[in-house]
Amino acid sequence: VGSLEARVRQAEEQHRLPREAITALLAAPEAEKSLAAAADRVRRAFVGDGVHLRGLIEFSNICRQDCMYCGLRRENGKVKRYRLSADTIVELARKAKGYGYQTVVLQSGEDIYFTAERLAAIVRRIKALDLAVTLSVGERSYEEYALWRAAGADRYLLRIETTDEVVYERWDPGMAYANRVRCLRDLRALGYEVGTGTLVGLPGQSLASIADDILFYQRIDADMVGIGPLIPNPDTPLGKAAPGDFHLTRRMVSLLRLLLPEANIPATTAMETMVPHGRELILASGANVVMPNVTEGDPRRNYALYPGKVCVADTPAACRSCMSGRIRAMGRFVAKDKGFRHHRQHGG
Ligand code: SAM
Ligand code: SF4
């Protein structure tokens, strides 16, 4: 335990750790509290007490891919498919602005009805509302990403899921790990703030590979890292898999904060789904972002990645006041700015 504590201190002071030390801390439930406490201090020092709320618009659950864990996979005949119109998406963004959100996240399955031009037009309309726009619509070409960037999109979320190429290609059949990495590189080159992350608990994923994920995020200097445990969906091939470990995920969040001190790190819905008030625990363990859902009505229910997703029965307005109350109760506050990544001052 003594040497683990020394590693936590080293991470807090230097923001660097060798792979073996990261793996050892991921494996150590006994280090979880001190990891979280150190991550909470680093979070406060580097990104402050503000929690950024991003309004999540789930605008289509139609997907051409077949990821083995995801309820939106094309082979799943049980999900009721929907696609919101451009007007509805812009209207939800306008409402998000009314709730006080400064950013909207447009997320969907890989729905190619939304050609680059169609989505660019929507981005332009939302940018006219003075909102930051994050896109999370999967793998596309450099040219498509470039068009959206030119339309004003600020950020892009594309989880690498796992940096173990073999595990990645087993659970995302038909998708190539190299293309996922190519997408992240293209997004960076185009000047997006780049968000990525890990799906914790994919069968075959090792702790050493999770340590590699963290080192990968350091190497690409990820602006945002969103991680969550696998929640098995019975309507998918991974329906009988063991769920991802909440506590391992929490240790990973804390390590991410220690090793990428400036990054935006969300407390994800999957964490709350696994453990009541899981989001608060994660906000106190290094995270500084929450993504409340602003999708309304049937689509809110039908964007069913996994069963038991929290807050699907609530209205977006109720989510807003619930989240801000919970944030204030922690002694934190809802940030008023758009929440771009903090950059360390150099040379001063
Ligand atoms: N289609 C886009 C993509 O895959 O990047 C964006 C939407 S996708 C539903 C967003 C994330 O949901 C994925 O990156 C994956 O990590 C997560 N996800 C999917 N199924 C899940 C499950 N059963 N449990 C936990 N997370 C899941
Ligand atoms: Fe489609 Fe994304 Fe789900 Fe994969 S994770 S099936 S790409 S929505």
Side-chain angles (χ1 to χ4, degrees):
V1 175
S3 76
L4 288 177
E5 291 303 323
R7 292 308 206 176
V8 175
R9 268 200 307 282
Q10 183 186 356
E12 181 171 1
E13 286 159 13
Q14 302 171 8
H15 313 298
R16 294 173 66 85
L17 274 186
R19 180 178 190 251
E20 313 75 66
I22 300 174
T23 310
L25 286 168
L26 287 168
E30 65 273 27
E32 188 162 319
K33 273 199 172 145
S34 62
L35 267 176
D40 201 42
R41 288 190 293 272
V42 168
R43 188 268 310 149
R44 173 172 298 165
F46 280 81
V47 297
D49 280 337
V51 176
H52 297 283
L53 300 182
R54 326 282 204 199
L56 178 64
I57 302 176
E58 300 159 332
F59 67 92
S60 166
N61 69 357
I62 295 169
C63 190
R64 63 175 165 175
Q65 302 292 1
D66 217 16
C67 306
M68 303 288 255
Y69 42 81
C70 177
L72 307 190
R73 66 198 302 269
R74 64 168 185 265
E75 287 298 317
N76 182 11
K78 291 207 179 149
V79 65
K80 205 171 144 227
R81 304 285 172 172
Y82 71 87
R83 173 186 289 143
L84 302 184
S85 71
D87 286 350
T88 305
I89 298 167
V90 175
E91 179 58 15
L92 287 175
R94 204 186 53 73
K95 287 186 178 174
K97 173 131 180 138
Y99 303 133
Y101 300 140
Q102 307 272 353
T103 297
V104 288
V105 181
L106 303 185
Q107 193 180 79
S108 68
E110 288 199 11
D111 180 358
I112 45 172
Y113 165 85
F114 288 97
T115 59
E117 290 73 19
R118 278 191 177 128
L119 195 52
I122 294 167
V123 170
R124 265 184 238 108
R125 288 173 65 189
I126 296 178
K127 287 303 292 180
L129 303 171
D130 187 29
L131 284 162
V133 172
T134 304
L135 295 176
S136 178
V137 303
E139 298 182 9
R140 297 283 188 114
S141 69
Y142 180 90
E143 291 70 27
E144 290 171 291
Y145 289 148
L147 194 69
W148 298 334
R149 180 81 186 120
D154 302 280
R155 311 187 180 105
Y156 204 98
L157 303 184
L158 185 76
R159 285 185 179 174
I160 193 75
E161 317 291 1
T162 171
T163 54
D164 181 325
E165 183 167 350
V166 172
V167 173
Y168 178 86
E169 293 185 356
R170 185 182 316 149
W171 303 124
D172 286 18
M175 298 173 83
Y177 180 77
N179 194 50
R180 202 94 178 152
V181 175
R182 188 273 305 161
C183 290
L184 291 172
R185 200 181 314 117
D186 286 354
L187 292 163
R188 167 66 79 217
L190 287 163
Y192 283 90
E193 282 201 348
V194 176
T196 181
T198 297
L199 185 50
V200 178
L202 284 169
Q205 181 185 51
S206 66
L207 292 181
S209 89
I210 295 179
D212 286 338
D213 295 357
I214 296 175
L215 293 170
F216 173 77
Y217 303 143
Q218 272 193 316
R219 203 160 55 242
I220 67 168
D221 193 25
D223 299 300
M224 194 280 231
V225 185
I227 66 172
L230 170 76
I231 301 179
N233 181 329
D235 299 331
T236 67
L238 276 180
K240 292 203 163 65
D245 182 334
F246 178 91
H247 289 283
L248 168 61
T249 312
R250 181 180 178 216
R251 294 195 291 281
M252 185 182 183
V253 165
S254 297
L255 279 160
L256 284 167
R257 172 58 67 203
L258 294 173
L259 300 177
L260 288 98
E262 309 168 347
N264 283 319
I265 301 178
T268 55
T269 309
M271 299 298 272
E272 181 83 16
T273 298
M274 280 209 133
V275 171
H277 293 269
R279 267 183 305 208
E280 274 114 314
L281 190 59
I282 298 303
L283 281 175
S285 309
N288 70 321
V289 172
V290 176
M291 293 163 56
N293 193 342
V294 299
T295 318
E296 295 178 357
D298 286 345
R300 190 178 174 98
R301 233 183 333 279
N302 291 327
Y303 197 81
L305 313 182
Y306 46 75
K309 202 167 132 202
V310 290
C311 311
V312 286
D314 300 328
T315 64
C319 273
R320 159 71 215 205
S321 46
C322 165
M323 261 341 292
S324 38
R326 287 163 66 169
I327 288 163
R328 274 195 305 274
M330 297 180 70
R332 306 266 284 274
F333 61 91
V334 175
K336 297 262 183 313
D337 60 303
K338 290 199 169 63
F340 288 100
R341 178 241 179 112
H342 288 245
H343 281 275
R344 227 176 307 201
Q345 297 292 314
H346 291 288

